[in-house]
Amino acid sequence: MSPLCWEEDVNLREYNTFNVDSIARYLVRIRSIHDLKDLLASPRFRDFRHLVIGGGSNILFAAENFDGVILKNEICGIEVVSENENNTVLRVGGGVEWMSLVTYCIDHDLGGLENLSLIPGTVGAAPIQNIGAYGAELSDVMLSVEVCNLETGETRTMSKDECALKYHDSIFKHALKYAFISSVTIRVSKAQFHCLNTQYSSVQDVLQQQGVVTPTIRSVSQAICLLRRRKLPDPKILGNAGSFFKNATCDTLLCKSIMKAHPEIPSFPGPDSFHIIPAAWLIENCGWKGKQIGEVGVSPSHALVLVNYGGARGREIVLLADSIIKDVQAKLGFQLIPEVNIIR
């Protein structure tokens, strides 16, 4: 096997979808478990802070330099572990692009990921966020992950329950922040036994517009791709990380109190008797949608999306986010929480 290549003074602009400049002291590409073990044994690795990145779609580099080691997850491969009449179990490398996995499943008549079409990033990053969209989440299909604790060097298999997957949350944002996910194992359904999820009216509308009478895995995926392209700018053209903030949540008592003062605020039932308040609605109703300050701004097509109009620095995007948070808190009483991982 080839020795690890330590790339020095690497501009991370092409490794983050916000397209901001930040110079990393080192970047190392991890293409196998062997590479990871070699890295962990290196004194140079232990001397610096480190960060794992996949597609860079949920990261904002706030500083112009990252004085540490970037681990670029490039472990590939999609393997059939087992299958029966109803389901297929796949083990997928953490460096596989998420949409490549979705496409693989659709091409093989396997259902379960079609509602998660066109979500940017890699498979290894998906459990960290418990990615979800249009009524589906990774937790619906995930069985386990192969994880290396970068602090201890321990490698083990973790079940879905151990990963503590919740709404846009997991153990990897808390107790296991310093983890490298080398593979994810999922169970997907064979098409003839799969129950499609078209509960969102926007999905139903697109299917109807396209003349789809009997939806399929592929037609649902195509509808959701169309919806996402309408809402979210292409990061290759306009730097962004998709939804910058989480939707707000509150318990029933607080929700009633806020709704009394602001009866126009929409809310939806969430997990554990909580209510979900769309963050996009809060931001838009505070006047931020479409607003531009210098080279940064809020997308005119979706209030949750902060954009880099070209040449913006990470800290300028952070300042914009902070201003939005303070304004929403002052006007509507909700504390917005960034969904994007801000690296300072």
Side-chain angles (χ1 to χ4, degrees):
M1 294 206 178
S2 302
L4 282 180
C5 177
W6 290 74
E7 301 174 42
E8 296 187 47
D9 298 327
V10 177
N11 191 333
L12 299 173
R13 182 187 182 91
E14 67 177 281
Y15 300 108
N16 72 94
T17 60
F18 259 122
N19 302 330
V20 297
D21 292 318
S22 184
I23 307 300
R25 171 73 70 91
Y26 299 108
L27 184 144
V28 179
R29 302 175 192 276
I30 305 298
R31 294 175 173 140
S32 68
I33 295 298
H34 180 80
D35 286 346
L36 188 58
K37 289 180 178 178
D38 280 356
L39 179 68
L40 294 178
S42 167
R44 189 165 20 173
F45 175 75
R46 294 194 294 271
D47 288 343
F48 289 95
R49 65 187 290 211
H50 47 265
L51 176 70
V52 180
I53 64 172
S57 59
N58 199 44
I59 282 180
L60 172 58
F61 290 101
E64 295 180 20
N65 292 281
F66 180 83
D67 191 23
V69 184
I70 297 289
L71 285 69
K72 181 75 167 62
N73 190 340
E74 296 185 356
I75 297 178
C76 295
I78 301 175
E79 171 193 1
V80 176
V81 176
S82 65
E83 61 180 322
N84 57 31
E85 183 182 1
N86 299 331
N87 305 304
T88 297
V89 175
L90 302 173
R91 182 182 296 115
V92 189
V96 172
E97 287 189 11
W98 177 259
M99 191 56 193
S100 295
L101 173 60
V102 175
T103 301
Y104 173 95
C105 288
I106 292 169
D107 289 344
H108 288 79
D109 293 324
L110 298 171
L113 302 186
E114 62 278 359
N115 287 47
L116 306 179
S117 294
L118 219 62
I119 292 179
T122 57
V123 169
I128 298 171
Q129 190 73 2
N130 185 25
I131 58 171
Y134 296 99
E137 292 182 333
L138 175 66
S139 56
D140 299 332
V141 297
M142 195 181 94
L143 298 177
S144 64
V145 295
E146 296 290 331
V147 176
C148 177
N149 185 324
L150 295 175
E151 292 185 315
T152 66
E154 177 194 13
T155 300
R156 67 186 182 104
T157 300
M158 292 180 63
S159 69
K160 178 174 73 172
D161 288 345
E162 289 177 299
C163 294
L165 302 184
K166 297 179 182 178
Y167 173 68
H168 288 195
D169 199 14
S170 71
I171 194 172
F172 305 110
K173 286 190 171 185
H174 306 286
L176 274 181
K177 276 187 177 181
Y178 300 105
F180 184 99
I181 299 174
S182 56
S183 70
V184 177
T185 300
I186 61 173
R187 181 192 289 120
V188 284
S189 308
K190 301 210 172 157
Q192 61 268 40
F193 300 104
H194 180 59
C195 182
L196 292 168
N197 180 349
T198 57
Q199 62 177 297
Y200 273 65
S201 59
S202 55
V203 176
Q204 296 171 13
D205 290 344
V206 170
L207 291 171
Q208 186 176 13
Q209 291 163 11
Q210 295 180 337
V212 177
V213 178
T214 306
T216 63
I217 292 167
R218 188 176 297 276
S219 65
V220 170
S221 172
Q222 289 171 342
I224 286 169
C225 286
L226 179 62
L227 287 168
R228 289 186 67 86
R229 288 190 178 106
R230 284 177 183 171
K231 291 181 179 180
L232 303 174
D234 184 345
K236 293 177 182 177
I237 299 171
L238 197 61
N240 74 93
S243 298
F244 194 93
F245 299 101
K246 296 180 182 181
N247 284 327
T249 58
C250 59
D251 60 30
T252 301
L253 188 63
L254 179 58
C255 186
K256 285 182 179 178
S257 174
I258 292 172
M259 295 291 285
K260 189 174 181 180
H262 303 281
E264 73 281 10
I265 294 179
S267 70
F268 304 94
D272 301 324
S273 299
F274 274 73
H275 295 262
I276 296 174
I277 313 297
W281 189 94
L282 300 173
I283 295 167
E284 183 171 352
N285 279 269
C286 286
W288 287 94
K289 186 177 181 180
K291 191 169 186 178
Q292 182 174 349
I293 303 171
E295 295 300 323
V296 301
V298 180
S299 169
S301 59
H302 200 308
L304 270 184
V305 182
L306 306 191
V307 295
N308 173 6
Y309 283 105
R313 297 177 179 179
R315 65 172 180 267
E316 294 171 323
I317 299 171
V318 173
L319 286 173
L320 172 63
D322 288 344
S323 297
I324 293 170
I325 290 170
K326 290 175 183 176
D327 198 35
V328 169
Q329 176 74 51
K331 291 178 179 176
L332 297 173
F334 284 96
Q335 176 71 36
L336 290 180
I337 298 173
E339 190 170 314
V340 170
N341 186 18
I342 299 172
I343 309 301
R344 302 181 189 273

